[in-house]
Amino acid sequence: MANTKYVFVTGGVSSSLGKGIIAASLAKLLQARGYRVTIQKLDPYINVDPGTLNPYEHGECYVTDDGAETDLDLGHYERFLNTPTSQANNVTTGRIYQSVIEKERRGEFLGKTVQVVPHITNEIKERIQILGKSGNYDIVITEIGGTVGDIESLPYIEAVRQLKWELGDNNALVIHLTLIPYLSAAGELKTKPTQHSVKTLMESGIKADILVCRTEHKLSDDLRRKLALFCNVKQEAVIESIDASTIYDVPNLMLEEGLDTVVLTQLVLRDDNTPDLENWNNFLKRHKNPKYEITVGLIGKYVELQDSYKSILEAFIHAGAENEVKVNVVSIHSEFIDDETIEKKIAHLDGILVAPGFGERGIEGKIKAVRFARENKLPFFGICLGMQMAVIEYSRNVLGLKGACSVEVDENTLDPVIDIMEEQKSITDMGGTMRLGAWDCELIGESKVFEAYGESLISERHRHRYEYNNKYKDQLEAAGLRTTGINPKTGLVEIIEIPDHPWFVGVQYHPEYKSTVANPHPLFIAFVKAAVAYSKRSKSAKVSQG
Ligand code: GLN
């Protein structure tokens, strides 16, 4: 197809309506009809990327193959579409300004006053079109973060207005996602906030083409007609988005509402081919009809906000469906794990995952949890910091290096079994300077990980500054903590395992970022299997004791 088509998704009335899920669901439907689609997120904050944000602010920081630290919505895009995203898929105001200011310093605007319009808006338009101009996509969906009317969003809205005008109505459209609140006292759904938000958009010169209405109750025909009339859209362009029990239902709900058809019609694209959602629906069937149930503990320190561990929770959903098992994930705050509480918090679980993280808060609780899992043969999965905690635990309690620690936590530790990476030592900037993105890892010998992956050269995504200290490798190996994965170029240890434990695996990388509906991650699948086996063993032990 010659020219790429653009779909913009804006949000109104309230934040957290799920623009990312709507964008991903639409993309899924278009992809299922054979179109090449990608999704981009524009974030109106001034951080150059979300890498420097605490997970409590916007949830998890998602990492792409090319090492971009991005908004968690990119995780949804990859999980739905099963195609990788990149730096170009997430742009913040900080990055836009950084690049315009760099150009100004280089003299690219010599003689001109650099202004929000046209310089910032031009930069935004360029960033939107980079993906389209790559020739890799028929349709680019761009999600504008924030809510219409926010001061921060104005340059983005203006850029969308200009692009829509330049590209023409057949090549670009705007979907506005709003909320239709239900007033229980009146027993009524209310359209007024939506009318106002569409008007706000109009004040910036943009007419919404499609309304996607988040609602707890079904929209009647009357209400749809009213919305269409007062918001100036076709009636078939009023799309109901009713609360769903799982985000993975949303593509089908959007299909029933005809969102993809309305989009294709306006963009003058073929819509007579039916979307092929067979694999997607097979996944849903397995997800909704589990044959067994397990409970695993997610041990971390950002547990108050579920979004902090979004990709891990989703990876459990994918792996659960693959195994036809319902995986209940209970969040356990590592700060509250101590000798008195540990038994009560962990003993009843079928496995634990010790989460990634930064800084010293909650570290000792994680180490205690690892010890419990190791000693009680409870399936253990350590990711990034979780893997580092497993190395510390083994060093302290098996090797007898009582003061073993990570340099991140104790700079003066006598036994820095987790040390700062050589190339990190001279770095002082915090943003974008970790070991990031996809790196190869070679699996060594027979191991649980080789069993899971079924191949010996893998590539996984990273986000860390500290590493397993190879000076302790011989001792740790001799004491039974095997290295089963190594970066072939740098010799950095990527994976550790305890061979005489039913399933004890720690990985320095983040497998959760690569788990998708179409490709559940092999390590999550294997961990869930191990937890099922553990659960069955402990149940039959109880029966025989009883
Ligand atoms: N804080 C650790 C490091 O920087 C682990 C990072 C993580 O868990 N993502 O190495």
Side-chain angles (χ1 to χ4, degrees), residues 6 8 40-42 48 87-100 102-103 120-133 140 142 156 159 163:
Y6 293 87
F8 300 101
Q40 177 188 44
K41 171 101 190 260
L42 304 182
V48 170
Q87 183 70 71
N89 294 72
N90 191 197
V91 181
T92 69
T93 295
R95 194 172 290 281
I96 300 278
Y97 271 80
Q98 186 185 46
S99 132
V100 170
E102 278 167 7
K103 285 181 186 166
I120 295 296
T121 44
N122 281 351
E123 183 74 26
I124 296 173
K125 288 196 291 183
E126 233 169 77
R127 299 279 179 154
I128 292 172
Q129 289 174 291
I130 282 177
L131 289 163
K133 286 182 179 157
V140 175
T142 299
Y156 293 98
L163 257 185

Side-chain angles (χ1 to χ4, degrees), residues 356-359 383-385 388 408 463-466 508 510:
F358 293 84
I383 296 186
C384 208
L385 185 71
Q388 298 176 351
E408 180 180 15
R463 183 173 187 250
H464 62 111
R465 283 200 174 84
Y466 299 85
Q508 184 58 77
H510 290 263

Side-chain angles (χ1 to χ4, degrees), residues 38 62 64-65 74 77-78 81-86 89 137 461:
T38 191
Y62 185 77
T64 58
D65 272 340
L74 271 78
Y77 308 161
E78 289 204 13
L81 297 182
N82 195 39
T83 54
T85 54
S86 70
N89 294 72
Y137 305 106
R461 298 181 193 172

Side-chain angles (χ1 to χ4, degrees), residues 81-350:
L81 297 182
N82 195 39
T83 54
T85 54
S86 70
Q87 183 70 71
N89 294 72
N90 191 197
V91 181
T92 69
T93 295
R95 194 172 290 281
I96 300 278
Y97 271 80
Q98 186 185 46
S99 132
V100 170
I101 290 169
E102 278 167 7
K103 285 181 186 166
E104 186 274 334
R105 292 289 83 185
R106 286 199 298 272
E108 287 185 30
F109 311 115
L110 216 51
K112 293 268 177 259
T113 310
V114 182
Q115 293 176 296
V116 173
V117 183
H119 300 97
I120 295 296
T121 44
N122 281 351
E123 183 74 26
I124 296 173
K125 288 196 291 183
E126 233 169 77
R127 299 279 179 154
I128 292 172
Q129 289 174 291
I130 282 177
L131 289 163
K133 286 182 179 157
S134 70
N136 296 331
Y137 305 106
D138 305 318
I139 303 164
V140 175
I141 302 178
T142 299
E143 177 192 346
I144 316 285
T147 308
V148 165
D150 295 349
I151 292 176
E152 293 92 342
S153 307
L154 282 174
Y156 293 98
I157 300 293
E158 170 60 12
V160 170
R161 186 196 66 75
Q162 291 184 17
L163 257 185
K164 219 183 155 212
W165 183 85
E166 285 164 9
L167 296 165
D169 281 348
N170 291 346
N171 295 312
L173 64 79
V174 171
I175 297 177
H176 191 53
L177 176 65
T178 79
L179 175 70
I180 310 290
Y182 179 75
L183 293 191
S184 47
E188 259 184 277
L189 286 166
K190 290 295 184 188
T191 65
K192 194 72 87 186
T194 297
Q195 296 180 41
H196 281 300
S197 138
V198 166
K199 240 177 227 155
T200 307
L201 202 51
M202 210 101 87
E203 279 164 16
S204 303
I206 295 181
K207 184 186 111 47
D209 300 290
I210 298 172
L211 288 183
V212 175
C213 306
R214 278 298 301 273
T215 172
E216 290 170 26
H217 299 274
K218 291 204 94 32
L219 305 182
S220 65
D221 283 348
D222 274 355
L223 200 115
R224 287 174 191 251
R225 206 169 307 124
K226 186 172 166 188
L227 276 165
L229 177 66
F230 291 120
C231 299
N232 210 11
V233 298
K234 294 197 180 101
Q235 194 166 328
E236 63 270 25
V238 175
I239 305 290
E240 167 193 290
S241 171
I242 199 149
D243 289 358
S245 60
T246 155
I247 55 169
Y248 297 107
D249 272 339
V250 181
N252 282 314
L253 292 172
M254 290 303 105
L255 181 66
E256 279 165 32
E257 284 287 306
L259 174 62
D260 55 333
T261 320
V262 183
V263 167
L264 292 172
T265 310
Q266 172 153 351
L267 296 177
V268 208
L269 292 170
R270 276 192 61 196
D271 70 347
D272 51 353
N273 45 354
T274 27
D276 176 6
L277 288 170
E278 198 185 327
N279 290 340
W280 186 269
N281 288 332
N282 281 339
F283 153 79
L284 271 178
K285 210 184 289 163
R286 287 194 305 272
H287 172 53
K288 291 183 174 176
N289 299 290
K291 303 208 164 84
Y292 197 76
E293 191 167 335
I294 56 165
T295 303
V296 298
L298 171 60
I299 300 181
K301 67 169 174 177
Y302 311 111
V303 293
E304 298 89 343
L305 184 71
Q306 288 282 304
D307 274 359
S308 307
Y309 301 111
K310 195 78 208 160
S311 293
I312 291 176
L313 298 175
E314 299 304 317
F316 273 125
I317 292 177
H318 309 153
E322 185 70 18
N323 284 295
E324 295 183 284
V325 169
K326 178 168 196 288
V327 183
N328 301 307
V329 182
V330 290
S331 298
I332 301 171
H333 205 306
S334 53
E335 265 189 302
F336 306 129
I337 298 177
D338 55 33
D339 290 335
E340 264 160 45
T341 57
I342 192 153
E343 186 83 24
K344 192 155 167 267
K345 284 183 186 284
I346 295 184
H348 62 287
L349 299 170
D350 302 314

